[in-house]
Amino acid sequence: MKERLDRFMARANATYYATHNPYADFTTAPEISQGFGEVLGLWAAIVWQAMGRPDPVILAEAGPGRGTLMADALRAVGRVAPEFAAALRLHLVESSPELRALQAVRLPQATWHDRVDALPPGPMILLANEFLDALPIRQFVRHGRGWSERYVAESRLVEAPVPAAEQALPGLEAPEGAVVEVCEEARAVARQLAARFAAPSGGAALFVDYGPAARAPGDSLQALREGQFADPLADPGEADLTAHVDFAALAEAAHAAGAQALGPVAQGVFLARLGLPQRMEKLAAGQSPAQAAALLAGVRRLTEPHAMGRLFKALALCAPGLPVLPGFAAESDDHAR
Ligand code: SAH
């Protein structure tokens, strides 16, 4: 019995998120600095202004974890943009009942959905941090002039030929033996959002995740268990499986569906443009030396290139009529990757 890699990954992660506290195995930007959710909330408030202040407006998050990002965002929005706070309706996309229960403690006013395409219609701003990296990938291996595909059998990878109808799926030149990854679910999410945003009052989505700015061959499937890398194929459901996000493929899917894509911009550059360092320096000024040091260490971890500042990136998908959104530059952002 063999199972295609994406189906294996979907099954393993569904079990993992339903049976584990993921924060025992890894940490994420909103858990590292409260400023992360705060500046994303202010980003959403500015985007809402640019959209013409629709009321009501859906504020959505995909994969909210323990709800930290959104709780920080709503606190900042409540202080700085009370009209946006009054207009927004909170919707969360979360497949794990256990994580929904955690989210409900901090965000009792929310409505939950299983999938992005189940969100109600209407103007929307969606935030997502480390959501796309958890979606299942397929892996293709270059052999001669064609491709084979990876399956999992008894905790090992095996290959099977790809039918002619799917030979174009990898869509990338690669040397003999190289692996090319395709995340069909992430592309479907980009397409669905783009179709909504193609309407003038459609809105915008902000994805922060890790991966290269340009497509390249490579095997990025990884498992994290108690902070350590583990074998992704052993013990499915016991570790968090992730893969690099293919930002270029998402931008392409969005363009094809009539929306605008901005970025990807390196997380360090993006957060600096949103004023995260200054915001946290101001907050630190009123704290004890130990608390101030912790606040500033969090900022460095999120922004410095050798930490999370460069591998993590921000990509926005939005309505074509919107002006350039905060954190993104009008000209090519090549230097910011
Ligand atoms: N954004 C949070 C959590 C990241 S972990 C943070 O930054 O801390 C990934 C999140 O996505 C979890 O909440 C997980 O349950 C959710 N998730 C993973 N796969 C999903 C899927 N296919 N559909 C909906 N939610 C999913």
Side-chain angles (χ1 to χ4, degrees):
M1 268 299 284
K2 62 183 184 358
E3 188 177 24
R4 213 169 73 187
L5 181 63
D6 57 332
R7 300 197 179 121
F8 171 88
M9 187 174 171
R11 198 168 51 84
N13 271 350
T15 308
Y16 173 76
Y17 284 109
T19 54
H20 288 73
N21 166 15
Y23 296 95
D25 294 306
F26 59 83
T27 189
T28 55
E31 305 295 330
I32 291 168
S33 171
Q34 68 176 75
F36 185 80
E38 291 173 2
V39 296
L40 263 54
L42 300 177
W43 183 92
I46 294 168
V47 172
W48 178 69
Q49 303 262 2
M51 288 164 67
R53 306 160 63 98
D55 182 359
V57 62
I58 296 169
L59 178 62
E61 184 180 357
R66 45 164 78 138
T68 308
L69 189 165
M70 190 53 80
D72 291 337
L74 292 178
R75 188 180 57 249
V77 164
R79 284 196 198 130
V80 178
E83 290 171 341
F84 176 47
L88 70 87
R89 304 289 179 271
L90 186 61
H91 289 263
L92 304 177
V93 177
E94 173 59 66
S95 51
S96 154
E98 288 67 22
L99 285 174
R100 281 188 185 195
L102 274 185
Q103 291 153 18
V105 175
R106 283 184 173 161
L107 305 164
Q109 72 275 43
T111 305
W112 279 264
H113 309 274
D114 276 324
R115 304 169 50 88
V116 169
D117 59 8
L119 285 163
M124 177 172 87
I125 300 167
L126 178 137
L127 306 174
N129 183 59
E130 291 211 51
F131 168 67
L132 299 172
D133 65 21
L135 300 182
I137 54 157
R138 296 173 71 172
Q139 285 188 337
F140 298 93
V141 187
R142 184 82 189 183
H143 287 302
R145 302 165 97 196
W147 298 91
S148 62
E149 180 161 13
R150 283 182 161 174
Y151 290 72
V152 180
E154 286 153 20
S155 304
R156 295 174 60 161
L157 288 171
V158 297
E159 290 180 20
V162 174
E166 294 202 321
Q167 282 285 334
L169 258 181
L172 190 66
E173 277 314 310
E176 176 67 27
V179 172
V180 167
E181 298 178 336
V182 173
C183 185
E184 292 180 313
E185 209 170 312
R187 291 180 189 196
V189 166
R191 265 197 310 276
Q192 289 150 12
L193 290 171
R196 294 176 72 115
F197 298 157
S201 67
L206 177 66
F207 292 102
V208 180
D209 224 308
Y210 72 113
R215 285 200 85 193
D219 176 356
S220 73
L221 182 67
Q222 69 172 41
L224 267 181
R225 200 168 169 178
E226 291 162 14
Q228 307 284 325
F229 290 110
D231 176 356
L233 306 181
D235 307 324
E238 293 300 317
D240 174 51
L241 300 187
T242 61
H244 282 179
V245 170
D246 183 354
F247 293 105
L250 302 181
E252 231 169 73
H255 284 143
Q260 181 180 187
L262 302 168
V265 175
Q267 172 171 285
V269 173
F270 182 72
L271 293 177
R273 286 176 176 168
L274 296 186
L276 175 77
Q278 294 84 337
R279 192 178 172 85
M280 289 298 106
E281 275 158 26
K282 224 166 123 188
L283 181 63
Q287 310 284 326
S288 72
Q291 279 168 326
L295 286 171
L296 300 179
V299 172
R300 285 197 302 275
R301 189 161 168 201
L302 296 189
T303 57
E304 285 182 353
H306 64 269
M308 294 167 76
R310 184 180 291 146
L311 178 60
F312 281 76
K313 297 180 178 69
L315 175 81
L317 308 180
C318 64
L322 287 180
V324 174
L325 303 180
F328 298 96
E331 71 282 10
S332 157
D333 255 333
D334 281 348
H335 61 285
R337 288 172 178 171

